[in-house]
Amino acid sequence: MYDLVVTMEDATSGLYSAFLMDQEGTASSFRGLREVVFGHGLFCSLYTDRGSHYFFTPDVGGKVSKTVLTQVGRALKQLGIEHIAAYSPQARGRSERVFLTLQDRLTKEFALAGIATVEAANVWLRDTCIAAHNERFAVGAEQEGSAFVADTAGAWREILCIQEDRTVGHDNTVIWDNLSLQLPPSRLRPHFVKTTVRVHGYPDGRLAVFWGPHRLGDYDARGSLVQPEQIAA
């Protein structure tokens, strides 16, 4: 069983991103946002349900917190994107109708295309489904032009990932998910013991440690330090 994750435009019902994942959550949200920002640019607002990966809700059934942010909330704030919480199924009417259309059609389309794996399904969704859906179901916007703005600095690459603070240990290492990240020698100071640093966890498992704006080190998914010439652009 897989979750279908879709990012669409409210004004036109056009799809920008669609893929299957084993579970909806922070990783799927970041993936959808990355695909939209990379393909089209930054946008003004994102309207979502109140799932725990989107919002922290202090009281069950109550209002979401505007001060305690999830990883997704933090990333949207850094990108300057307004995050709007839906408080009723009716408020998500357009997206719910799109999901009903997709759920009715996709299993049939997968069967017709001979698709048997989630990898093949996601390629088909990206390369075939989105364009076909938009041609048939999307409506024209009231005004011409696009509200997307290019992220010329590519800031989204460092923002749409897991970010958490850590305190450097006495051996000049940072602990992350049972990995010990050894900080390399730095011209900035003799060591970083007891310093608060920020760890970035990327979708492919890579890691990086920052002290303010300074990138102290890059690591592979096993926590091994990666030399600068080994880092892919």
Side-chain angles (χ1 to χ4, degrees), residues 4-230:
L4 175 64
V5 182
V6 173
T7 307
M8 59 173 288
E9 182 176 319
D10 182 60
T12 66
S13 294
L15 303 185
Y16 289 123
S17 170
F19 54 85
L20 297 171
M21 285 195 73
D22 54 0
Q23 184 177 6
E24 182 186 9
T26 300
S28 66
S29 299
F30 278 157
R31 177 174 172 176
L33 288 167
R34 282 193 300 270
E35 291 186 359
V36 176
V37 175
F38 176 75
H40 304 276
L42 298 171
F43 47 94
C44 297
S45 59
L46 182 69
Y47 191 68
T48 70
D49 61 35
R50 290 174 291 152
S52 59
H53 54 287
Y54 287 130
F55 293 101
F56 171 68
T57 306
D59 301 312
V60 177
K63 297 288 187 180
V64 301
S65 174
K66 295 186 178 180
T67 56
V68 180
L69 302 178
T70 64
Q71 288 285 339
V72 175
R74 180 268 311 159
L76 291 172
K77 184 176 182 179
Q78 286 181 296
L79 290 171
I81 296 173
E82 180 186 17
H83 195 183
I84 304 172
Y87 281 94
S88 69
Q90 293 77 14
R92 303 193 307 271
R94 191 188 299 272
S95 61
E96 294 293 342
R97 288 192 293 274
V98 169
F99 270 108
L100 287 174
T101 299
L102 291 172
Q103 289 168 356
D104 178 62
R105 294 174 59 87
L106 285 184
T107 53
K108 302 170 187 174
E109 295 282 3
F110 289 156
L112 288 172
I115 294 172
T117 67
V118 66
E119 293 79 13
N122 282 335
V123 170
W124 183 85
L125 285 168
R126 182 194 66 205
D127 296 343
T128 302
C129 176
I130 291 177
H133 176 94
N134 289 347
E135 183 177 358
R136 180 169 181 179
F137 296 106
V139 298
E142 289 186 2
Q143 298 178 353
E144 295 184 359
S146 172
F148 285 103
V149 176
D151 179 10
T152 55
W156 64 271
R157 300 178 188 276
E158 292 297 338
I159 292 175
L160 294 174
C161 64
I162 300 296
Q163 295 185 11
E164 292 185 5
D165 290 343
R166 291 289 190 274
T167 300
V168 180
H170 291 287
D171 52 356
N172 211 39
T173 63
V174 177
I175 302 301
W176 174 274
D177 285 347
N178 297 320
L179 298 176
S180 181
L181 310 178
Q182 181 68 57
L183 296 180
S186 173
R187 62 177 177 77
L188 297 170
R189 51 189 295 173
H191 62 76
F192 290 89
V193 174
K194 295 185 179 181
T195 301
T196 298
V197 295
R198 187 178 71 257
V199 180
H200 288 200
Y202 302 106
D204 60 0
R206 293 181 302 112
L207 302 163
V209 177
F210 290 80
W211 180 47
H214 300 286
R215 195 181 193 110
L216 301 181
D218 286 88
Y219 306 82
D220 62 23
R222 297 172 295 178
S224 299
L225 188 65
V226 178
Q227 299 304 318
E229 62 270 16
Q230 296 176 292

